[in-house]
Amino acid sequence: MAATTAFKGAKSSRWRRFVLKPFVFVQFFFGIGLLAIALKQFRRKNTHPAQSPELIAKDWEILYYRIIPFRAISRAWGWLTNCHLPVWARRPLLGLYARTFNCNLEEAKDGNLDNYSCLAEFFRRKLKNGVRPIDSASAVVAPSDGTVLNFGRVTAGMMEQVKGVSYSLGEFLGPAYWRNGPEVQPAGQTELEYEKSLLVNKDNDLFHCVIYLAPGDYHCFHSPVDWTVNFRRHFPGALLSVNPSIAKWVAGLFSLNERAVYVGRWKHGFFSMTPVGATNVGSIRVYADEKLRTNCTKWALPLPYYDRYMDPTETDSDEIPLHKGEIFGEFNLGSTIVLIFEAPKDFEFKIRPGEKIRMGQPLHVTGSSVKHEAAAH
């Protein structure tokens, strides 16, 4: 008995020495590191004006931030939100969530909280017919409810994620070989050359728009234009938060995160729509692309990105024709939609940074040639 007890005690001692103590030390230094980053950022905000380059995270800070196991946390959150809720718990729990994030239950197709079996089902709630009218006169409408982070013309292959913080068009979309099949991107291609290579009509320009979906927003996203999708590129990426405060801090945030880039054509040429993943987004689902699997382990998806050609010549793969306002997919919590598209040079947006928008409302002013052509159709 004494020998057994001594053996167990020795085994326990080894466990503490080789596993528990190092784990505690890692947690301690990790916590100290995060606190140091937070204090450093607080000091920067007090000593530098808003939108100063000094407020953008340094490479080492981003690296440290990415050490946090956001992907595992998000998978755990996805599992938790799909757990079945007993009927007696639905109204208090879902009601608390609705009040906390200002969800408008009057717009829900089913406003009875007792009918939602889990939190994820409530996230994906559908709306009543007619509560999101699609502007028929506008060629480009909002693809979702949310807050406008930024928009504008793509300049020299760069886009603003928020004012003063830019990211690369080429890094976000990846190699532009979706029209002619796999090929090597020209060596030494500049950001501007990459941008121009996307244009179908060289007299047009590229425009972009970033919309942030908060946890309380309607979580489905719709087609903003009439177009045809013929290519999808899935970047497994990270799952960093896309909250506006993080978007101001981490340059190139959307290029780091998991995303599904859908590319195709609309009447003016190139068009792409990208749902971007984020912390605690259980998954991104696109109804017409059942092969898409998001929020997987790195071992399941080890490559930087995965391409799918949606062409009638491909086996078991067809183009996806989408009409303006048609439902496209859904998030399992708030995230971000990025639109990048070709349009005439006089295209002008009708929105403001920070503005709350609703799916179906027009995104551009009535004076542009895009508007005139939409009216003619």
Side-chain angles (χ1 to χ4, degrees):
M1 256 325 255
T4 304
T5 304
F7 174 75
K8 288 182 177 179
K11 189 175 181 181
S12 175
S13 177
R14 284 198 298 270
W15 166 261
R16 290 194 190 96
R17 189 185 315 124
F18 296 113
V19 178
L20 191 57
K21 281 188 177 180
F23 180 70
V24 170
F25 282 129
V26 167
Q27 282 189 316
F28 175 76
F29 288 113
F30 187 70
I32 291 295
L34 287 179
L35 181 62
I37 291 175
L39 291 174
K40 196 173 183 68
Q41 188 67 8
F42 178 75
R43 181 181 292 180
R44 286 176 188 156
K45 286 186 176 181
N46 286 337
T47 56
H48 296 284
Q51 297 158 13
S52 167
E54 290 297 323
L55 297 180
I56 300 174
K58 305 297 186 287
D59 289 343
W60 69 269
E61 292 174 315
I62 297 174
L63 181 63
Y64 201 92
Y65 181 52
R66 293 184 66 179
I67 292 174
I68 302 173
F70 287 117
R71 187 169 290 278
I73 293 169
S74 299
R75 282 197 302 277
W77 175 251
W79 173 84
L80 181 64
T81 58
N82 278 284
C83 286
H84 181 82
L85 293 174
V87 176
W88 60 265
R90 295 175 187 178
R91 191 169 293 274
L93 290 179
L94 299 181
L96 176 63
Y97 181 91
R99 291 190 298 274
T100 301
F101 295 106
N102 298 316
C103 303
N104 189 347
L105 295 179
E106 293 183 0
E107 295 181 338
K109 196 171 186 177
D110 187 352
N112 186 355
L113 296 178
D114 291 337
N115 293 335
Y116 295 98
S117 63
C118 62
L119 190 54
E121 203 171 281
F122 181 68
F123 292 156
R124 303 189 298 266
R125 66 192 179 278
K126 300 299 186 288
L127 301 182
K128 295 175 182 175
N129 291 331
V131 297
R132 294 291 185 276
I134 309 301
D135 190 281
S136 58
S138 178
V140 188
V141 298
S144 66
D145 289 8
T147 302
V148 177
L149 286 188
N150 219 322
F151 60 88
R153 202 179 303 265
V154 178
T155 305
M158 300 296 291
M159 306 177 290
E160 278 195 325
Q161 62 189 34
V162 294
K163 190 169 180 61
V165 182
S166 298
Y167 62 110
S168 162
L169 175 68
E171 289 182 4
F172 182 77
L173 295 178
Y177 53 59
W178 37 75
R179 283 183 296 202
N180 304 313
E183 62 184 33
V184 178
Q185 191 166 336
Q189 186 181 42
T190 65
E191 295 285 358
L192 179 59
E193 289 170 342
Y194 178 91
E195 174 192 335
K196 298 301 182 185
S197 72
L198 301 184
L199 296 174
V200 176
N201 182 345
K202 300 305 178 184
D203 292 328
N204 289 340
D205 280 341
L206 276 184
F207 297 84
H208 71 101
C209 180
V210 182
I211 300 168
Y212 168 70
L213 288 75
D217 287 326
Y218 168 54
H219 283 61
C220 294
F221 47 90
H222 297 241
S223 175
V225 299
D226 294 323
W227 65 307
T228 300
V229 179
N230 50 38
F231 180 85
R232 182 257 289 158
R233 174 170 289 148
H234 174 211
F235 292 84
L239 286 175
L240 309 181
S241 171
V242 293
N243 184 281
S245 61
I246 300 296
K248 293 176 183 177
W249 182 55
V250 180
L253 174 62
F254 304 136
S255 298
L256 296 174
N257 269 13
E258 180 167 32
R259 59 199 181 277
V261 178
Y262 287 88
V263 175
R265 294 283 189 96
W266 76 312
K267 62 184 178 181
H268 292 294
F270 175 84
F271 195 95
S272 78
M273 179 175 176
T274 305
V276 181
T279 307
N280 289 342
V281 176
S283 67
I284 301 169
R285 182 186 173 196
V286 173
Y287 300 137
D289 186 9
E290 295 182 357
K291 294 183 178 180
L292 178 67
R293 293 289 181 271
T294 61
N295 199 4
C296 300
T297 64
K298 290 183 178 180
W299 294 276
L301 297 172
L303 300 180
Y305 57 81
Y306 295 82
D307 292 344
R308 182 187 175 197
Y309 292 88
M310 298 173 176
D311 189 276
T313 60
E314 298 290 327
T315 305
D316 191 31
S317 185
D318 294 322
E319 293 180 333
I320 306 175
L322 291 166
H323 298 292
K324 182 175 64 177
E326 182 178 349
I327 194 165
F328 191 19
E330 65 188 25
F331 290 111
N332 268 345
L333 198 60
S335 196
T336 303
I337 295 287
V338 178
L339 303 178
I340 302 170
F341 57 92
E342 177 179 348
K345 292 181 182 296
D346 66 346
F347 181 91
E348 189 176 349
F349 284 99
K350 191 184 180 179
I351 48 180
R352 302 183 307 275
E355 179 183 353
K356 289 284 291 182
I357 60 174
R358 287 154 63 100
M359 191 279 292
Q361 77 175 63
L363 289 184
H364 62 91
V365 297
T366 58
S368 69
S369 58
V370 177
K371 160 73 180 181
H372 294 151
E373 291 183 26
H377 287 303

